[in-house]
Amino acid sequence: MKVHNKENPNHNIMPYDWLTLLYPAEWCFRFFIASILILIVSHLSTPISQIGYWTMPAAAIGAFLLQLRVLYLFTTGRMPESE
């Protein structure tokens, strides 16, 4: 959704669409699915699979925290301008 300023039609007031704002949540979902697939395929039988399994939920938590930050910045109007 592009909202334009009436005085300056080339300046976007809100240059972000909902897909851009939900990008960290998409990665959170991908990391969660990857951890479930590692669990199903390897049954955590090797140390490498255990490291891979526990790395994915940690990355998902990081992506969720980034999503909270994007939500906070968007609702307070402090999102940086994109060009």
Side-chain angles (χ1 to χ4, degrees):
M1 178 178 164
K2 304 274 185 189
V3 179
H4 297 286
N5 192 348
K6 290 181 181 178
E7 291 83 24
N8 187 0
N10 294 327
H11 176 69
N12 291 329
I13 296 173
M14 193 175 89
Y16 301 100
D17 57 353
W18 64 276
L19 290 175
T20 306
L21 296 173
L22 287 177
Y23 190 67
E26 178 183 346
W27 275 101
C28 181
F29 180 74
R30 288 178 184 182
F31 288 137
F32 176 74
I33 293 299
S35 69
I36 296 300
L37 289 175
I38 290 171
L39 180 64
I40 290 171
V41 170
S42 69
H43 302 290
L44 300 179
S45 59
T46 64
I48 298 292
S49 66
Q50 291 176 2
I51 290 171
Y53 173 75
W54 288 109
T55 302
M56 291 299 140
I61 290 170
F64 178 73
L65 293 175
L66 185 62
Q67 181 64 52
L68 290 179
R69 181 177 179 267
V70 167
L71 178 66
Y72 171 74
L73 290 175
F74 180 73
T75 55
T76 59
R78 297 180 185 169
M79 287 289 285
E81 291 292 326
S82 66
E83 299 197 26

